[in-house]
Amino acid sequence: EIHIKEPIEKEVNPHLLPGELLLCEASTVYKYMQEDGSNRGTYGKLVCTNFKISFLDDDSTSDDNEPEFKNKIVGENDITLQCVDQIYGVYDEKKKLLTGQLRKYPERLIIYCKDLRVFNFCLRYTKEEEVKRIVSGIVHHSQTPKLLKRLFLFSYASAAPNNTDGRNQTVMFDTLEDWRDELERTKGNVKYKTVTTNEGYRVSEKLPLYFVVPICISEESILKYEGRGIPIWCWSCHNGAALLKMSAFPKEQDDSTSQMQKAFMDGIYKTISKPPYELLKMDDLSSSLPSLQDIQTAYTRFKQLFLIDNSTDFWATDVKWFSLLESTNWLEIIRRVLKKAIEVAECLERQHTNVLLIEESATDLCCVISSLVQVMMDSYSRTKSGFQSLIQKEWVIGGHGFLERCNHLRKSEKEEAPVFLLLLNCVWQLVQQYPPAFEFTETYLTVLSDSLYVPVFSTFFFNSQHQRDTSASGESLKTQSGPFRFLTVWDWSVQFDPKAQAFLNNPFYAEKPKPDKNQRKTARFKHQRQLSLPLTQPKPSTKRGFFREETDHLIKNILGKRIGKFINSSDDPPNSFREFYESWHSKPVDYHGLLLPRIDGPEIKVWAQRYLRWIPEAQLHGGGTIAITAKILDLMEEVQSLQVKMDEEHSQAVSGDVHSVTTPRNSARLSSLFPFALLQRQSVKPALPTSTWKDLEDEDDLVKRDDEFVDLSGDM
Amino acid sequence: MASSSTPKYNSNSLESSSSKRTLKDGTNWEQNEEIPRLPGETRVTDKDVIYMCPFNGPVKGRVYITNYRLYLRSVENDPVVVLNVPLGVISRIEKMGGASSRGENSYGLDITCKDMRNLRFALKQEGHSRRDIFEVLTKYAFPQSHNLLFFAFVNEEKFSENGWMVYNPMSEYRRQGLPNERWRVTFINEHYGLCDTYPSLLVVPYNATDDDLKKVAAFRSRNRIPVLSWIHPETQAVIMRCSQPLVGMSGKRNKDDERYLDIIREANGQISKLTIYDARPNVNAVANKATGGGYEGEDAYPNAELFFLDIHNIHVMRESLKKLKDIVYPNVEESHWLSSLESTHWLEHIKLVLTGAIQVADKVSSGRSSVLVHCSDGWDRTAQLTSLAMLMLDSYYRTIEGFEVLVQKEWISFGHKFASRIGHGDKNHADADRSPIFLQFIDCVWQMSKQFPTAFEFNEQFLITILDHLYSCRFGTFLYNSESVREKEKVTEKTLSLWSLINSEKSKYTNPFYSKELNRALYPVASMRHLELWVNYYIRWNPRIRQQQPNPMEQRYMELLALRDDYIRRLEELQITNNSKIPNSSASSTSPSQMMSQVQTHF
């Protein structure tokens, strides 16, 4: 019997989402495997839609082992248009950046993605006109400026059946009740109130519809300068100290305006410089933290270290790895941000002092610091729904300019800065330092960072609540369709099936012992660690009322003459930070209490899962932390099945063998890059450095010596 | 799915057990504890001092010196500061300040330790108090320089296990399936007549006679001829170890050596070439010709392929560790941590050693070619390479007992010069023979265990304990340079083995996540992206940089195991009850998963 293999005649069609349109395509495109530069790869079709660039493998049908962790929206060979970082064309072995109009078409196309994947397509076997069409199509749709209404978000929202998961526990902060509940939860309602002044966005289009301010702030003052110069509440600590943020007045003002602003602020301070507000520390983040430009530059350099073309590149950069890392400054920025968050936590926790974060717009570094402080101080923010609510509160509703910062519309690179990624990187440091303290895993953070580029969800595709609301109604877009109902990224079932979602939950999470269900809402326990801190007595409020003493500083600051960074009250011991940090670290960790990151050099690490996940050389077969996680998941399943058995035994319904068959994952088979990695390379060949030799000039005389000097030639 | 719907197991046992805590800098904060004393340990002197703690400032206390340790306890009780330092870790004792010293606490002793720390004691300037304590310390810290015995020889501890029984060369070779028709055991070195730094029992090609071996010995530095370390159970390719050939400036050849290497090549039945890995950088190997050494030239050994592995000598490694100490003790370099770390080259050396070992292992395993490894004398870099390659290829060595066998075989019996490299009981702290070669090997093992957290039966504490007793001189295990000296000194009769301590308390050193896997080659990734500084060892004295103990993941796992066992017990009880009602159901008594069985001893 002879078996003749039928040529695959089947037409491969891209999997299109509702509202997704095929724009152009090219066949017989050869996709290189990133692995080894051996030119191995597969033929297929390259397509570009209004949502993504996709490579369709010619024999993709033979895909029999479905990966355990799969994104339902973005497949392994899909790149959303927003995920494209840079596109290079290769002409006669020379790489050239492709941006606008093309005169010549390259023989190879390299696509670098924001999630750090690198795709290498060879177009040599593709028909010329198809090359032209696909290359200019891809460049046009991913690299040139776009109108908001052209975002795939809108096509999807109008075409997709709306069946969002109503059971989502994330607090969206788009209603007055959400803010009231949050005030109540944190017991901030004694000194702070929710305001409806911005209904109809009559104060500002940048501010959320509802927000919280000190009780004595009047509606008029909020309206006066579109909410600028008004302290806005973020969160209240268990001792009543609050974290506030404020957007400053723009720097360049003529004299009379600035006089008026000064008078305005004086008024505000007079109004609120009475009890119950006591001490306040102000922190102008634009001078005490790196600028957005610094952050963008650092990240651009940093990510470059992970966008690796081939094995040779990998090993060539390995020799100088640590100094390369350091020269990007990215880890140092993370360290500084974490340090700042500890400083703020110290004020709130130990000094019982209110902290006011100031920034021009109060929507960038303010979001990073206030979110981090809450993650460190409020264990609710370390649960999945708590963290998601926090992102809603501080970022989405808080008005972080995702469109500009991610440059989703390709309008201006000047405004681009990975501010949200910076937060995720900082949170990751905490997650890896204190695994039992978080309900979510690093995989959760990684897929969350990937979701920044998936315009199926509205979460990261608007600059403000106002923009989202008006876009949803369809008014400002002048489109026929609308109102739109957008999906939120927090509905993880859109991207992952339940099995894959399991990887977002941390099996090591030390769940909070549940007190009485009724008590739970109101009672907030002081945790051991908080009690054991060397508390300095709250200082008497006679000396400085809320704002009073610091009015001048503040005004100088805000009106542009930025002097001094942290406005340090003189009666503070200069090493109070160190003392606080060290005293906390000398005690055992309470995973439900205050959590301070360790920030010494060796403790700040590279988020390996996010940055190394696509690099085959960095893969450990059967290794990495996933090996441990897989073991504990197996054990949990076993315990679970035993429990079921127990119940059955109790009810005496069934009887039989104690041990139900749970198939243990073979951790030896898993790659350390699991659940990511494009290729499940199963070869056992070890990765060998190709360039290792390095001169040790400074030790030259030592290098030349032998271990022990003995003349061996004599005894023959 | 699994975690969200599972009942909640709380891990809040941390707080309850924390009333009695031990800081990892060896400083105990315990109440009313007696000064510890081992059987055989005698008190020599004590004195009031001020311990200049680099982390907590000056601490008033009393220091007790015995023939084994230096013990300090603070006067203040809240908290109690305790130092407990075996004298063996002391590398150097210096007097600081003179009679004219004015500054506060500037007169006293400065003690440099081999385990990455310094101890400073300030003393009162009166009488001969400093001279007395200096002399006592010097005498007992450096017994070899004062004609005294190592503490190991007066230690009277008793253990339930006898660690000297762990390694028996004959049974280890038998475990590997040796001797066989191609490899034989020879007793030619029984009285160390052939080579005084080799063990008495050697495995050599069946086709080489003892006479051949003698002739080969003449051409190998210090007579360290190529002998078998390990044989691959499937490919029959072997790892051989030896010293450099005595080629010299004139490029001498030796027919016997050439023929012997050919016999080795043929012994695995493959036609491939013999691969020789010279651990040194090429230039050093060439330079060695000037002193009579060298490497296997192409003309003389046409059937061999030679590769240099570029691993540096013992002096470079010593300097590198010194630089590392500079950036981590007492304070961790604040700014530019990464470039400081890079400038020590410590991890780069680790990378080179691992890379070399991977190459050796891969050649034997997938290249199916026998491999010969040497450096200059074949007791430093060679030991690192062969033992690491064996660890990668043979899962037995990844068990507690297997690792003990590996150390005992490749390091202790094959003459790694522990006495010279560590300088046990010797006052010459600047001796150029000292070098952290074994520490580097343990670091490589740690890197592997970090990359493969389920592949090793032992935990980090096991490795740290080995390193602590590498210096302590409490056990005979690492004393002296070779088997021949150890035999003369009757080490196994007169001292205890470190493995006695460890094997009597195995659970303390067991990795709960260990999954036994047979015959899986384990290749670490020798990339700087994965190599890490071993903070829990090198920076363990710094209370600020301290990993949580116990490891929270381990704790969680143990809780789950306990819960599972509890369920199984209760289920079995239930079933017994139920079975009396339902006649034909079978109660299961087997363990639910054999995979887990080894960790059950913990409860």
Side-chain angles (χ1 to χ4, degrees):
Chain A
E1 208 180 19
I2 304 163
H3 230 78
I4 300 164
K5 204 179 172 191
E6 291 285 320
I8 303 155
E9 282 291 299
K10 230 179 83 184
E11 176 76 355
V12 266
N13 285 316
H15 169 73
L16 296 177
L17 295 174
E20 188 174 0
L21 301 168
L22 186 65
L23 300 174
C24 48
E25 60 183 312
S27 33
T28 43
V29 171
Y30 191 73
K31 174 175 163 278
Y32 293 109
M33 288 170 86
Q34 202 181 332
E35 187 176 1
D36 47 12
S38 66
N39 289 349
R40 282 196 291 141
T42 44
Y43 282 101
K45 196 152 64 163
L46 189 61
V47 306
C48 179
T49 74
N50 57 344
F51 171 58
K52 64 177 184 249
I53 299 160
S54 188
F55 177 77
L56 308 160
D57 203 321
D58 280 347
D59 11 80
S60 60
T61 40
S62 60
D63 210 67
D64 34 49
N65 47 341
E66 185 85 337
E68 240 184 293
F69 189 79
K70 200 184 127 193
N71 192 312
K72 295 194 279 181
I73 300 279
V74 187
E76 61 171 15
N77 284 325
D78 296 341
I79 314 160
T80 67
L81 297 175
Q82 280 67 32
C83 189
V84 176
D85 190 5
Q86 287 184 317
I87 302 175
Y88 279 86
V90 179
Y91 303 85
D92 306 324
E93 301 301 308
K94 272 183 209 141
K95 267 166 74 175
K96 218 187 124 206
L97 186 68
L98 306 183
T99 44
Q101 285 290 315
L102 302 177
R103 258 169 277 132
K104 231 179 111 194
Y105 291 89
E107 62 228 43
R108 248 172 71 204
L109 201 61
I110 307 173
I111 302 179
Y112 296 97
C113 302
K114 291 191 174 173
D115 62 5
L116 302 148
R117 287 177 297 170
V118 179
F119 287 90
N120 241 297
F121 298 111
C122 175
L123 306 170
R124 202 169 294 153
Y125 317 102
T126 315
K127 286 189 204 114
E128 206 185 317
E129 58 271 35
E130 283 188 12
V131 172
K132 279 182 189 171
R133 228 177 299 137
I134 194 76
V135 173
S136 52
I138 286 175
V139 171
H140 176 77
H141 293 291
S142 71
Q143 301 296 88
T144 57
K146 210 182 214 145
L147 292 172
L148 178 62
K149 65 178 174 188
R150 290 266 173 248
L151 271 181
F152 179 66
L153 183 66
F154 296 100
S155 336
Y156 184 80
S158 46
N162 204 292
N163 51 356
T164 35
D165 187 3
R167 292 172 295 113
N168 203 326
Q169 288 183 1
T170 307
V171 183
M172 302 304 276
F173 287 95
D174 49 1
T175 66
L176 195 59
E177 281 64 44
D178 288 348
W179 287 99
R180 285 202 179 126
D181 290 348
E182 179 73 352
L183 261 182
E184 197 182 311
R185 186 183 73 84
T186 60
K187 290 203 286 183
N189 41 10
V190 189
K191 302 173 192 171
Y192 301 92
K193 64 173 181 193
T194 51
V195 288
T196 55
T197 326
N198 203 28
E199 273 177 349
Y201 298 100
R202 58 199 179 99
V203 179
S204 162
E205 293 182 352
K206 285 178 183 148
L207 284 173
L209 209 48
Y210 308 106
F211 52 92
V212 176
V213 295
I215 258 174
C216 54
I217 295 275
S218 70
E219 194 164 310
E220 299 83 74
S221 42
I222 298 173
L223 282 160
K224 180 99 189 236
Y225 287 104
E226 299 180 341
R228 282 185 185 274
I230 299 292
I232 292 174
W233 177 87
C234 299
W235 179 75
S236 283
C237 174
H238 62 90
N239 60 22
L243 181 61
L244 306 152
K245 62 183 171 187
M246 179 168 105
S247 54
F249 290 110
K251 277 188 250 177
E252 50 286 305
Q253 293 287 344
D254 62 68
D255 248 15
S256 62
T257 338
S258 72
Q259 281 306 313
M260 273 161 61
Q261 288 174 349
K262 188 177 188 304
F264 168 73
M265 282 184 160
D266 271 334
I268 293 275
Y269 312 137
K270 277 192 191 115
T271 337
I272 56 176
S273 63
K274 296 172 195 136
Y277 311 101
E278 280 155 9
L279 297 165
L280 180 86
K281 205 169 235 178
M282 280 174 289
D283 198 330
D284 184 356
L285 296 179
S286 53
S287 57
S288 69
L289 283 180
S291 69
L292 295 187
Q293 188 53 53
D294 292 344
I295 292 167
Q296 169 68 3
T297 312
Y299 185 71
T300 308
R301 283 200 216 119
F302 178 76
K303 78 174 180 208
Q304 218 54 48
L305 298 181
F306 303 92
L307 294 170
I308 288 168
D309 287 340
N310 53 47
S311 181
T312 319
D313 261 19
F314 179 87
W315 292 111
T317 49
D318 203 56
V319 188
K320 280 274 179 193
W321 181 246
F322 291 127
S323 44
L324 281 172
L325 262 185
E326 188 174 284
S327 68
T328 69
N329 209 36
W330 178 247
L331 294 181
E332 180 58 23
I333 287 175
I334 289 172
R335 208 169 86 97
R336 281 182 64 187
V337 168
L338 288 171
K339 189 163 184 242
K340 172 60 70 190
I342 298 171
E343 281 171 12
V344 173
E346 192 253 350
C347 282
L348 295 166
E349 173 78 33
R350 196 168 68 149
Q351 301 184 28
H352 298 204
T353 304
N354 300 301
V355 177
L356 176 62
L357 306 173
I358 302 164
E359 198 185 10
E360 175 137 346
S361 65
T363 54
D364 289 302
L365 293 171
C366 275
C367 301
V368 177
I369 298 297
S370 79
S371 307
L372 258 184
V373 168
Q374 292 174 62
V375 168
M376 283 156 49
M377 300 185 73
D378 189 343
S379 62
Y380 168 67
S381 302
R382 302 196 286 262
T383 64
K384 215 161 96 186
S385 57
F387 185 70
Q388 294 175 173
S389 305
L390 178 70
I391 303 300
Q392 279 295 130
K393 180 171 76 163
E394 299 296 337
W395 297 78
V396 180
I397 298 299
H400 175 68
F402 282 106
L403 286 179
E404 267 85 52
R405 296 294 175 248
C406 301
N407 199 12
H408 282 323
L409 303 178
R410 298 278 167 187
K411 283 210 167 118
S412 161
E413 277 181 14
K414 270 186 227 149
E415 293 295 317
E416 196 173 340
V419 187
F420 186 65
L421 269 183
L422 179 61
L423 172 77
L424 296 185
N425 274 273
C426 291
V427 173
W428 180 84
Q429 302 290 337
L430 278 157
V431 166
Q432 61 100 25
Q433 288 181 12
Y434 305 101
F438 290 84
E439 194 188 28
F440 48 86
T441 55
E442 65 164 339
T443 305
Y444 170 85
L445 292 174
T446 303
V447 298
L448 181 57
S449 76
D450 290 343
S451 307
L452 266 178
Y453 316 113
V454 183
V456 159
F457 312 104
S458 65
T459 313
F460 302 127
F461 284 87
F462 290 112
N463 284 330
S464 63
Q465 192 181 3
H466 168 262
Q467 191 182 32
R468 183 191 181 279
D469 285 357
T470 49
S471 304
S473 69
E475 286 168 29
S476 66
L477 297 172
K478 299 186 179 69
T479 52
Q480 289 90 345
S481 43
F484 299 99
R485 291 199 58 197
F486 300 122
L487 290 183
T488 163
V489 73
W490 312 126
D491 186 355
W492 292 105
S493 66
V494 177
Q495 291 190 79
F496 303 102
D497 60 26
K499 208 175 169 200
Q501 277 186 63
F503 291 100
L504 311 183
N505 300 327
N506 178 12
F508 297 105
Y509 180 51
E511 201 129 349
K512 200 168 181 172
K514 277 191 189 113
D516 246 283
K517 265 179 192 156
N518 308 332
Q519 268 187 11
R520 228 181 141 203
K521 257 190 179 169
T522 44
R524 289 184 62 80
F525 298 103
K526 276 203 166 188
H527 299 297
Q528 250 192 349
R529 197 171 264 222
Q530 292 167 342
L531 286 170
S532 57
L533 281 171
L535 290 173
T536 48
Q537 282 301 305
K539 283 144 213 157
S541 55
T542 46
K543 199 177 161 220
R544 290 174 302 156
F546 190 70
F547 285 115
R548 191 186 284 158
E549 290 296 304
E550 295 181 346
T551 308
D552 283 345
H553 289 292
L554 181 71
I555 290 177
K556 275 178 201 153
N557 243 347
I558 286 159
L559 298 184
K561 291 172 211 157
R562 290 161 199 269
I563 46 151
K565 16 190 217 173
F566 201 86
I567 302 169
N568 224 329
S569 40
S570 51
D571 48 352
D572 247 5
N575 58 351
S576 72
F577 165 80
R578 249 312 33 130
E579 196 193 306
F580 175 70
Y581 180 76
E582 279 176 14
S583 129
W584 187 87
H585 280 289
S586 69
K587 297 187 176 70
V589 184
D590 171 9
Y591 294 115
H592 305 294
L594 174 68
L595 213 60
L596 297 186
R598 290 188 298 260
I599 54 168
D600 286 284
E603 308 285 6
I604 304 294
K605 296 187 176 148
V606 171
W607 182 0
Q609 189 193 55
R610 178 167 202 269
Y611 296 105
L612 293 177
R613 60 187 154 151
W614 314 119
I615 304 175
E617 284 75 14
Q619 183 159 213
L620 300 162
H621 291 280
T625 43
I626 188 66
I628 289 184
T629 311
K631 281 212 79 158
I632 202 157
L633 286 175
D634 285 344
L635 185 55
M636 285 174 86
E637 273 171 30
E638 195 188 338
V639 169
Q640 235 178 337
S641 72
L642 281 169
Q643 232 162 11
V644 172
K645 268 277 183 304
M646 277 282 272
D647 296 343
E648 286 170 354
E649 285 290 334
H650 270 298
S651 61
Q652 299 211 353
V654 201
S655 179
D657 198 86
V658 183
H659 312 293
S660 70
V661 193
T662 51
T663 44
R665 285 150 248 266
N666 190 348
S667 57
R669 301 257 174 76
L670 293 178
S671 145
S672 61
L673 306 182
F674 183 85
F676 300 100
L678 281 173
L679 24 116
Q680 264 66 49
R681 193 178 62 146
Q682 287 300 331
S683 88
V684 285
K685 205 76 180 133
L688 275 177
T690 49
S691 64
T692 52
W693 176 257
K694 201 168 123 203
D695 282 327
L696 303 164
E697 306 90 357
D698 50 335
E699 290 160 1
D700 234 4
D701 53 326
L702 281 186
V703 171
K704 285 185 200 129
R705 279 167 72 182
D706 195 24
D707 283 345
E708 288 144 272
F709 183 81
V710 178
D711 201 331
L712 300 161
S713 47
D715 55 5
M716 296 248 350
Chain B
M1 119 216 92
S3 53
S4 59
S5 53
T6 335
K8 320 307 176 194
Y9 320 111
N10 297 312
S11 46
N12 45 10
S13 51
L14 250 183
E15 285 100 287
S16 56
S17 64
S18 63
S19 57
K20 187 176 164 186
R21 282 182 313 106
T22 306
L23 284 192
K24 279 203 63 204
D25 67 340
T27 320
N28 295 321
W29 306 67
E30 296 168 9
Q31 300 282 344
N32 305 322
E33 202 194 32
E34 285 298 307
I35 292 150
R37 197 100 59 88
L38 295 173
E41 184 177 355
T42 52
R43 189 142 139 187
V44 181
T45 187
D46 55 58
K47 178 143 213 61
D48 282 331
V49 297
I50 293 168
Y51 165 49
M52 308 296 287
C53 175
F55 311 110
N56 304 314
V59 176
K60 250 191 201 158
R62 193 161 184 85
V63 69
Y64 302 82
I65 294 164
T66 72
N67 56 346
Y68 172 64
R69 81 183 89 205
L70 180 158
Y71 188 87
L72 173 127
R73 177 134 67 156
S74 63
V75 177
E76 294 280 322
N77 273 324
D78 188 30
V80 178
V81 177
V82 170
L83 270 183
N84 187 351
V85 187
L87 297 177
V89 310
I90 294 176
S91 124
R92 179 184 196 183
I93 309 166
E94 287 170 286
K95 293 173 182 167
M96 58 172 190
S100 56
S101 291
R102 284 281 167 265
E104 203 188 348
N105 299 333
S106 63
Y107 177 84
L109 293 176
D110 191 10
I111 298 170
T112 309
C113 298
K114 295 168 180 172
D115 60 358
M116 305 291 286
R117 62 179 156 165
N118 281 43
L119 304 171
R120 249 170 190 247
F121 299 106
L123 295 159
K124 285 204 194 86
Q125 274 176 286
E126 53 182 26
H128 296 300
S129 65
R130 181 170 73 172
R131 201 186 66 195
D132 293 347
I133 194 167
F134 177 80
E135 279 172 3
V136 166
L137 267 178
T138 308
K139 190 169 147 194
Y140 288 98
F142 310 124
Q144 286 299 84
S145 308
H146 293 86
N147 288 318
L148 287 173
L149 290 174
F150 288 116
F151 177 73
F153 286 89
V154 293
N155 185 358
E156 291 166 12
E157 285 176 275
K158 299 271 181 289
F159 293 104
S160 56
E161 298 288 322
N162 181 0
W164 292 126
M165 308 295 283
V166 165
Y167 178 59
N168 175 323
M170 203 55 224
S171 33
E172 164 57 14
Y173 288 120
R174 270 202 209 104
R175 187 191 67 84
Q176 294 190 25
L178 298 167
N180 61 19
E181 65 281 7
R182 293 168 192 276
W183 298 94
R184 68 186 180 94
V185 169
T186 171
F187 295 94
I188 186 176
N189 203 35
E190 193 167 6
H191 302 291
Y192 308 104
L194 179 78
C195 172
D196 61 354
T197 57
Y198 262 7
S200 54
L201 195 149
L202 301 169
V203 174
V204 295
Y206 191 85
N207 291 337
T209 65
D210 281 1
D211 227 35
D212 294 335
L213 301 180
K214 281 177 192 153
K215 288 179 197 154
V216 173
F219 192 64
R220 289 281 162 178
S221 170
R222 303 179 202 259
N223 302 340
R224 293 171 68 94
I225 58 165
V227 294
L228 181 143
S229 275
W230 190 76
I231 184 162
H232 195 288
E234 282 144 35
T235 69
Q236 296 292 302
V238 298
I239 298 176
M240 305 287 289
R241 61 181 291 170
C242 61
S243 61
Q244 63 180 334
L246 299 176
V247 176
M249 288 299 264
S250 55
K252 279 192 214 96
R253 289 180 58 164
N254 181 306
K255 280 283 164 226
D256 298 298
D257 194 76
E258 290 163 21
R259 199 171 66 87
Y260 183 63
L261 261 54
D262 231 31
I263 293 173
I264 293 169
R265 180 182 63 84
E266 287 162 356
N268 78 336
Q270 308 275 341
I271 21 115
S272 57
K273 285 192 173 187
L274 176 71
T275 310
I276 301 174
Y277 286 110
D278 187 327
R280 301 166 292 184
N282 190 344
V283 280
N284 294 51
V286 173
N288 257 289
K289 287 187 174 179
T291 51
Y295 54 90
E296 292 82 356
E298 220 176 308
D299 298 344
Y301 302 87
N303 291 326
E305 263 186 304
L306 178 77
F307 299 97
F308 294 102
L309 295 177
D310 293 340
I311 301 169
H312 285 285
N313 63 40
I314 64 168
H315 313 292
V316 172
M317 302 310 182
R318 183 179 58 238
E319 286 312 305
S320 174
L321 186 66
K322 203 176 276 175
K323 285 183 185 166
L324 182 62
K325 184 174 173 182
D326 286 344
I327 66 160
V328 299
Y329 191 90
N331 296 309
V332 176
E333 183 72 35
E334 268 275 342
S335 53
H336 308 296
W337 160 254
L338 287 171
S339 52
S340 304
L341 180 62
E342 186 173 275
S343 70
T344 68
H345 299 296
W346 182 254
L347 288 178
E348 201 183 322
H349 295 311
I350 297 280
K351 171 178 162 167
L352 281 170
V353 172
L354 280 173
T355 304
I358 294 168
Q359 279 173 269
V360 172
D362 182 47
K363 190 57 106 180
V364 171
S365 176
S366 44
R368 298 171 166 265
S369 150
S370 284
V371 159
L372 182 71
V373 183
H374 69 72
C375 46
S376 298
D377 291 309
W379 50 42
D380 293 307
R381 289 169 269 201
T382 301
Q384 288 178 330
L385 291 169
T386 57
S387 55
L388 285 170
M390 287 156 76
L391 197 62
M392 291 171 196
L393 294 171
D394 192 336
S395 59
Y396 168 68
Y397 297 124
R398 295 174 219 144
T399 63
I400 289 181
E401 208 188 283
F403 190 76
E404 292 167 356
V405 166
L406 184 69
V407 169
Q408 206 69 50
K409 176 177 187 296
E410 288 303 296
W411 290 85
I412 298 170
S413 85
F414 274 97
H416 172 68
K417 303 206 299 178
F418 281 103
S420 308
R421 297 291 174 258
I422 307 302
H424 289 130
D426 175 59
K427 67 178 185 334
N428 300 313
H429 63 87
D431 192 334
D433 262 357
R434 294 199 185 174
S435 187
I437 301 302
F438 187 73
L439 165 65
Q440 200 171 44
F441 159 70
I442 296 289
D443 193 331
C444 290
V445 176
W446 178 81
Q447 302 284 353
M448 285 180 68
S449 71
K450 182 95 185 147
Q451 294 190 8
F452 299 98
T454 60
F456 293 83
E457 191 194 7
F458 48 83
N459 59 15
E460 185 177 55
Q461 193 50 45
F462 175 77
L463 297 177
I464 292 178
T465 304
I466 290 176
L467 290 176
D468 281 345
H469 293 296
L470 172 65
Y471 307 120
S472 77
C473 300
R474 177 169 151 194
F475 302 100
T477 305
F478 296 116
L479 296 180
Y480 305 112
N481 281 336
S482 64
E483 291 291 60
S484 59
V485 182
R486 260 170 235 126
E487 206 160 280
K488 210 181 86 210
E489 300 290 341
K490 300 193 166 54
V491 168
T492 52
E493 293 157 52
K494 294 182 172 175
T495 73
L496 293 164
S497 161
L498 167 59
W499 318 128
S500 304
L501 172 88
I502 287 174
N503 295 354
S504 305
E505 250 190 306
K506 251 186 177 169
S507 64
K508 204 173 149 186
Y509 305 102
T510 305
N511 169 17
F513 298 114
Y514 175 56
S515 312
K516 199 168 188 172
E517 276 193 275
L518 294 171
N519 304 323
R520 186 164 82 94
L522 204 65
Y523 296 119
V525 173
S527 156
M528 288 301 177
R529 273 99 163 166
H530 280 303
L531 299 182
E532 276 183 54
L533 184 71
W534 186 6
V535 167
N536 281 0
Y537 181 75
Y538 298 108
I539 324 188
R540 64 176 158 156
W541 311 121
N542 190 329
R544 261 169 53 195
I545 305 202
R546 196 172 62 227
Q547 306 283 304
Q548 299 148 57
Q549 293 295 338
N551 175 322
M553 312 236 240
E554 241 175 80
Q555 215 185 344
R556 174 101 170 108
Y557 192 69
M558 302 304 259
E559 282 164 13
L560 279 172
L561 279 179
L563 191 72
R564 184 199 64 182
D565 293 349
D566 185 49
Y567 271 130
I568 290 171
R569 190 183 45 75
R570 280 161 56 196
L571 257 175
E572 278 170 1
E573 286 170 12
L574 260 175
Q575 282 187 329
I576 290 165
T577 329
N578 289 352
N579 280 353
S580 53
K581 297 166 200 159
I582 307 158
N584 66 343
S585 76
S586 61
S588 165
S589 56
T590 49
S591 162
S593 124
Q594 284 101 334
M595 207 173 82
M596 310 287 186
S597 57
Q598 73 276 1
V599 282
Q600 285 175 325
T601 49
H602 282 256
F603 302 104

